[in-house]
Amino acid sequence: MDAKELYERGEEFRATSQFRKAVETFRQALEVVPLSDSALRLLLLRRLGDCLRMVGNFEEAKSAYSKALEVAQEVGDDLEVADSLVGLGLAQRGLGELEEAFRNFEKAREIYEEYDDPEGEAFTLWALGGLFRVMGELKKAREVFTEALFFFEHCDDPSGLGYCHCGLGGLERVAGNFERSLYHYSTANALFHEIGDRFGQAYSFCGVGNAHRMMGHFPKALEYFQKAAKLYEEIGDEVSYAWTLWSWGTALKVLGRFSEAQEKFEEAQKLFTKTQDTRGRVYYCLSMAEIAFLEGRKNRALALLEEAEALLAGRPFRLERLHVKLYRWIVGHGEGTEFEKIRKEYQIIGANFLRFPSSFPLNIP
């Protein structure tokens, strides 16, 4: 097969969420694409980056997008430059290189605005909303996701609309609006089912499960985590699968099924480490500290919280810093006035899920 045929085959794999097969096919195509065909080379590099990112290989995705950016700059195609910048920013976001990701999203957005490209601007806003969410800038994330939702609605893009609903579902969960969270994730799931987006279905299944978890509907939550995990395993997305395992483990932990919960957390931790997911490793430490404390191993709990603090050093993860502070308060049996200060800090960034002085096991969003 020539490069164009391989590209088309790779696109078929990508459209059906067979990302590992798509990666192999796009790599084969890049080996045979003529040097003179810059347009196809550029497209192959970006698609390769997209699929590598979907399976959690952010380093190689970053490399593919960087090469695509070089080609786009060489041929002088500004919109291709913008597309490559967004891809690069998403890979950097996955690696925790948040400042670099922000700069690339902003550069891309300027180009899309200049060329009056609403589809490109919508996608960039969605990416930026996810970045703010990771940083713990929840109010900014809400503004940006809402703006992206408006663009996607007017661009008639059900896929983009679905992913924006997922972004808003996550924000509403942290904001303590669990029924709104369920609405957004359920809306997204219906859109993804309609267009046959298997990855989107897995993503929204996990979100629906988390909304039910926060509402105390644990049997339903476990049912949806199982659905999400099955799809993620089939797709090969180790990043999202790890977060589903963590959510699943959290539901089991709250139910007092500590042994089962630990199995999920340990499995998630292996994937968090493999995919260089610092935030995931922090949540692992928090969850295991909680179980250790409940089992009477306070020193182990404190050691895990210190590990979480070390992982957060120099990183702009505001929400996770507050989680560590909250956990330290619980482990140290702090005063109620101190809890109110912590709750106020959560509220400042838009996280309103804490209703009263908390204790373990904690159903953290």
Side-chain angles (χ1 to χ4, degrees):
M1 275 190 265
D2 63 19
K4 190 173 186 302
E5 290 171 325
L6 285 165
Y7 164 73
E8 290 170 354
R9 188 176 183 185
E11 280 291 86
E12 289 173 8
F13 287 135
R14 188 177 71 89
T16 53
S17 299
Q18 298 180 72
F19 297 117
R20 293 194 186 282
K21 289 183 178 179
V23 165
E24 293 172 12
T25 308
F26 290 138
R27 280 179 171 154
Q28 290 171 20
L30 280 164
E31 289 176 4
V32 298
V33 65
L35 287 173
S36 59
D37 196 343
S38 297
L40 182 56
R41 178 179 296 279
L42 177 56
L43 192 54
L44 284 166
L45 285 166
R46 280 204 293 105
R47 286 292 185 254
L48 177 61
D50 293 341
C51 294
L52 285 165
R53 183 167 51 80
M54 297 304 285
V55 297
N57 192 339
F58 295 116
E59 279 290 359
E60 288 193 38
K62 180 180 169 182
S63 175
Y65 287 128
S66 296
K67 290 174 183 174
L69 180 60
E70 289 175 10
V71 176
Q73 290 170 333
E74 285 172 8
V75 299
D77 189 325
D78 288 344
L79 288 174
E80 289 288 357
V81 166
D83 291 345
S84 301
L85 284 169
V86 176
L88 180 58
L90 286 168
Q92 289 167 327
R93 188 182 77 185
L95 290 166
E97 299 170 3
L98 305 186
E99 291 180 3
E100 296 90 335
F102 177 77
R103 284 196 295 269
N104 284 325
F105 291 151
E106 286 293 286
K107 287 178 191 173
R109 190 179 178 188
E110 288 175 9
I111 295 171
Y112 289 132
E113 286 180 343
E114 182 182 345
Y115 281 84
D116 192 21
D117 184 334
E119 290 88 354
E121 192 171 352
F123 187 66
T124 309
L125 285 166
W126 169 79
L128 195 57
L131 178 67
F132 285 137
R133 168 72 177 83
V134 169
M135 294 172 70
E137 300 287 348
L138 303 179
K139 292 178 180 178
K140 288 183 182 178
R142 183 188 296 278
E143 291 173 9
V144 174
F145 276 134
T146 302
E147 190 177 355
L149 197 71
F150 173 83
F151 272 99
F152 280 124
E153 284 174 339
H154 287 77
C155 292
D156 191 26
D157 183 344
S159 177
L161 203 57
Y163 285 106
C164 277
H165 276 294
C166 283
L168 285 165
L171 286 174
E172 294 293 4
R173 185 173 72 245
V174 177
N177 302 321
F178 306 133
E179 289 185 3
R180 287 294 299 169
S181 177
L182 181 59
Y183 161 76
H184 282 297
Y185 280 123
S186 298
T187 300
N189 188 262
L191 287 165
F192 292 135
H193 181 75
E194 186 177 338
I195 62 177
D197 184 335
R198 293 172 71 238
F199 175 83
Q201 287 178 61
Y203 184 11
S204 50
F205 276 147
C206 187
V208 168
N210 274 317
H212 280 301
R213 172 171 65 83
M214 296 309 299
M215 294 165 75
H217 306 158
F218 294 107
K220 268 199 170 299
L222 295 174
E223 176 189 333
Y224 278 100
F225 293 145
Q226 287 176 325
K227 288 182 179 182
K230 184 175 183 294
L231 275 176
Y232 279 135
E233 280 189 288
E234 292 173 3
I235 291 167
D237 179 356
E238 295 180 330
V239 175
S240 303
Y241 180 49
W243 282 102
T244 301
L245 289 168
W246 177 83
S247 299
W248 194 344
T250 301
L252 293 168
K253 177 199 69 184
V254 175
L255 290 169
R257 293 157 63 177
F258 296 154
S259 178
E260 293 172 77
Q262 281 183 274
E263 288 180 12
K264 298 299 180 190
F265 292 144
E266 293 292 354
E267 194 177 349
Q269 170 70 344
K270 289 177 185 176
L271 295 174
F272 287 143
T273 302
K274 181 179 178 181
T275 58
Q276 303 177 60
D277 191 330
T278 301
R279 282 178 65 246
R281 291 170 64 196
V282 169
Y283 280 96
Y284 166 80
C285 290
L286 291 171
S287 302
M288 295 299 286
E290 209 173 329
I291 291 174
F293 181 76
L294 288 167
E295 292 179 342
R297 295 178 288 127
K298 183 176 178 180
N299 288 339
R300 176 58 180 157
L302 288 170
L304 283 161
L305 293 178
E306 286 176 9
E307 185 178 340
E309 287 185 331
L311 287 166
L312 290 168
R315 295 179 181 272
F317 298 141
R318 295 179 68 187
L319 183 62
E320 288 71 29
R321 287 183 193 286
L322 287 174
H323 289 343
V324 173
K325 188 180 287 191
L326 174 64
Y327 276 56
R328 280 197 174 279
W329 177 82
I330 296 172
V331 170
H333 304 290
E335 298 294 326
T337 53
E338 186 181 347
F339 171 82
E340 287 303 323
K341 289 178 183 176
I342 295 170
R343 183 161 67 171
K344 183 67 175 175
E345 288 184 69
Y346 273 115
Q347 290 172 341
I348 287 170
I349 66 169
N352 300 298
F353 63 92
L354 283 180
R355 308 296 191 197
F356 45 79
S358 302
S359 61
F360 293 151
L362 189 63
N363 196 14
I364 199 164

